[in-house]
């Protein structure tokens, strides 16, 4: 069974591919296999809405089972921002570094005890012309004042997960893929995929 990863973000492709690599009977494909795939406008008000839209549209386009995620960082002191706008927080063409700078500027006067936040991830799985199924994962933590580490992507260098003293960018993929918001959501998605895969045979 072919499974399309509905993202152009190579960090996500690597991370999701690693988390799903042992799914028997599933061949993983990225959007690089579909260079003319439509761009999806992520205009949903929730992570779930965006993930479902991406999975459903691209499942219909590719003709294959498709998995999509939408994720973001919700900071309590910023009333949940950047939230669903995490990837566009500093503008459409901003880099990860630009987004981090803007977030740290917004939190400049916030004391350490109030810098709590969480990564949230919604993962949707859709078959062509069928209703998508969606699951969610959350990772609690705090935002530090200076980026640390070189692994990961996005806001990883400034996010320290609860129970750890290193950022996601310092912990590296092995630990991150056990405790992250995406790992938790994909763990639930794996269960759905196993059920769907078993129904094919």
């Amino acid at each position: 069974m072919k499974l399309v990863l509905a993202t152009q973000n190579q960090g996500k492709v690597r991370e999701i591919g690693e988390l799903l690599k042992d799914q028997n009977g599933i061949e993983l494909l990225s959007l690089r296999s579909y260079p003319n795939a439509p761009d999806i406008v992520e205009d949903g008000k929730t992570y779930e809405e965006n993930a479902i839209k991406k999975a459903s549209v691209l499942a219909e386009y590719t003709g294959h089972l498709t998995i999509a995620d939408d994720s973001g960082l919700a900071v309590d002191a910023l009333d949940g921002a950047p939230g669903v706008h995490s990837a566009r927080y500093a503008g459409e063409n901003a880099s990860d570094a630009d987004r981090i700078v803007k977030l740290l500027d917004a939190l400049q006067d916030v004391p350490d005890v109030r810098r709590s936040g969480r990564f949230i991830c919604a993962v949707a799985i859709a078959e062509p012309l069928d209703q998508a199924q969606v699951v969610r994962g959350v990772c609690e933590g705090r935002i530090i004042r200076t980026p640390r580490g070189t692994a990961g992507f996005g806001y990883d260098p400034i996010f320290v997960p609860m129970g750890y003293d290193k950022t996601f960018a310092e912990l590296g993929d092995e630990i991150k893929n056990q405790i992250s918001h995406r790992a938790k959501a994909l763990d639930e998605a794996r269960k759905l995929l196993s059920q769907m895969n078993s129904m094919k045979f």
Side-chain angles (χ1 to χ4, degrees):
M1 180 171 67
K2 292 183 178 180
L3 176 64
V4 178
L5 306 182
T7 182
Q8 296 282 6
N9 183 316
Q10 292 307 300
K12 285 187 180 182
V13 169
R14 183 181 67 253
E15 196 168 290
I16 294 173
E18 181 68 22
L19 288 164
L20 295 179
K21 66 181 181 180
D22 61 347
Q23 288 291 101
N24 293 329
I26 291 179
E27 177 187 353
L28 293 176
L29 301 172
S30 78
L31 283 185
R32 285 189 170 183
S33 300
Y34 302 93
N36 297 316
D39 290 328
I40 311 300
V41 178
E42 297 180 33
D43 53 2
K45 294 181 179 179
T46 67
Y47 303 103
E48 284 81 0
E49 287 179 8
N50 285 331
I52 288 170
K53 182 178 182 180
K54 286 189 285 187
S56 299
V57 171
L58 290 167
E60 187 171 348
Y61 175 80
T62 64
H64 295 300
L65 184 69
T66 300
I67 186 169
D69 90 305
D70 190 43
S71 56
L73 178 64
V75 180
D76 293 323
L78 302 178
D79 296 323
V84 294
H85 304 293
S86 292
R88 301 174 295 282
Y89 185 54
E92 288 294 333
N93 298 313
S95 65
D96 287 346
D98 294 333
R99 288 184 280 271
I100 287 173
V101 167
K102 181 172 181 178
L103 185 64
L104 291 180
D105 283 347
L107 291 172
Q108 184 175 358
D109 297 325
V110 177
D112 292 349
V113 294
R114 294 188 52 238
R115 297 171 74 92
S116 58
R118 64 207 49 82
F119 271 122
I120 301 169
C121 177
V123 171
I125 301 173
E127 292 191 273
L129 303 178
D130 200 0
Q131 186 172 356
Q133 301 183 66
V134 64
V135 292
R136 170 184 270 231
V138 177
C139 183
E140 300 284 346
R142 59 187 173 86
I143 313 304
I144 60 172
R145 296 183 178 275
T146 304
R148 300 196 318 244
T150 58
F153 59 96
Y155 297 95
D156 285 356
I158 58 171
F159 182 81
V160 175
M162 185 178 294
Y164 292 81
D165 57 8
K166 293 182 178 181
T167 68
F168 268 161
E170 292 175 304
L171 289 171
D173 289 347
E174 184 174 353
I175 295 177
K176 182 184 176 184
N177 287 348
Q178 297 174 25
I179 65 173
S180 77
H181 53 306
R182 189 168 291 108
K184 293 175 181 177
L186 285 170
D187 188 51
E188 294 301 313
R190 285 159 61 96
K191 298 172 186 177
L192 293 177
L193 286 170
S194 293
Q195 294 171 5
M196 298 169 81
N197 199 18
S198 64
M199 293 173 64
K200 298 289 183 181
F201 301 98

